[in-house]
Amino acid sequence: DTAVSQTPKYLVTQMGNDKSIKCEQNLGHDTMYWYKQDSKKFLKIMFSYNNKELIINETVPNRFSPKSPDKAHLNLHINSLELGDSAVYFCASSPPGLAASGTQYFGPGTRLLVL
Amino acid sequence: EDQVTQSPEALRLQEGESSSLNCSYTVSGLRGLFWYRQDPGKGPEFLFTLYSAGEEKEKERLKATLTKKESFLHITAPKPEDSATYLCAVLHTGFQKLVFGTGTRLLVSP
């Protein structure tokens, strides 16, 4: 009964490949997020979706494309992977409302290593 | 641009040795300040929300306080299981996104 789940947990791939990360939440939340945490543990938002609609799109290369098939799922597809994409990617969700949007529930993370 | 700075970067305490972590912020229109705990290899876990200066929240050995420029996370008589990275984040009035600080790595030795 995991609240926010991500697959895969680990991803090792070659430069230039395309890969996807999947996220699912069973909390009934409307808003979902993708974050990138670099080697210095800095956590930065990439995208946010509210009820399948993109609401936040930070300065992220367009090789990264999120997709939300329904409000419980948010996937991240990455084209032409580069060395600098190596990081931990976290999915999160939050209850409705602007004030509540800071109370986020994070998944376990996907550790991406690009060789 | 919103900025969040946490100090110290790392803190080592003996079990029972109380201390405080600092989170300084610069944001035009604070909607809320949030504290999270992150254990190695896991996602951040929500701890507290503070909305206005003077507000305090407590949970077990942790107490978070907020002023107009900074927040403190006070840890009273910490135990080894309190060892983790503590992250603070701010929510801007106009934007539905959290801006995180770089965290404080806390290690509590028995």
Side-chain angles (χ1 to χ4, degrees), chain A residues 33 35 37 41-43 45 55-56 58 90 98-99 101-104 106-108 111, chain B residues 31 34 36 38 41-44 46 49 51 87 91 93 95-98 100-102:
Chain A
Y33 310 82
Y35 286 87
Q37 188 169 48
K41 306 297 184 188
F42 182 60
L43 194 62
I45 190 166
I55 57 171
I56 294 173
E58 290 293 286
F90 287 101
L98 178 58
S101 61
T103 308
Q104 298 183 9
F106 284 79
R111 284 138 192 87
Chain B
R31 185 79 187 186
F34 302 81
Y36 283 79
Q38 186 174 21
K42 295 190 176 180
F46 169 75
T49 308
Y51 291 110
L87 300 167
L91 184 67
T93 300
F95 309 112
Q96 285 180 263
K97 68 173 186 178
L98 285 176
F100 280 87
T102 49

Side-chain angles (χ1 to χ4, degrees), chain B residues 3 9 33 41 51 54 57 59-60 66 72 74 80 84-85 88:
Chain B
Q3 284 197 329
E9 199 173 302
L33 186 139
Y51 291 110
K57 293 274 178 73
K59 180 179 179 180
E60 296 180 356
L66 181 65
F72 292 93
H74 307 278
T85 295
C88 82

Side-chain angles (χ1 to χ4, degrees), chain A:
Chain A
D1 57 343
T2 306
V4 182
S5 59
Q6 293 179 230
T7 54
K9 189 168 183 180
Y10 298 97
L11 195 47
V12 181
T13 188
Q14 299 287 330
M15 260 194 325
N17 284 350
D18 303 339
K19 290 293 177 186
S20 291
I21 307 171
K22 294 187 176 183
C23 177
E24 177 181 0
Q25 54 96 2
N26 62 6
L27 297 167
H29 292 163
D30 286 343
T31 309
M32 296 184 72
Y33 310 82
W34 276 113
Y35 286 87
K36 178 180 180 180
Q37 188 169 48
D38 62 24
S39 56
K40 294 186 177 181
K41 306 297 184 188
F42 182 60
L43 194 62
K44 190 172 187 335
I45 190 166
M46 300 172 69
F47 302 103
S48 173
Y49 270 75
N50 182 265
N51 205 7
K52 301 193 296 176
E53 182 182 342
L54 180 67
I55 57 171
I56 294 173
N57 185 348
E58 290 293 286
T59 310
V60 176
N62 57 17
R63 298 181 294 103
F64 290 79
S65 52
K67 278 190 183 165
S68 181
D70 56 60
K71 73 175 193 176
H73 295 84
L74 180 61
N75 304 322
L76 183 66
H77 187 77
I78 315 170
N79 289 324
S80 304
L81 278 155
E82 300 178 357
L83 294 177
D85 298 332
S86 296
V88 183
Y89 292 84
F90 287 101
C91 175
S93 70
S94 66
L98 178 58
S101 61
T103 308
Q104 298 183 9
Y105 296 79
F106 284 79
T110 295
R111 284 138 192 87
L112 172 64
L113 178 60
V114 182
L115 302 173

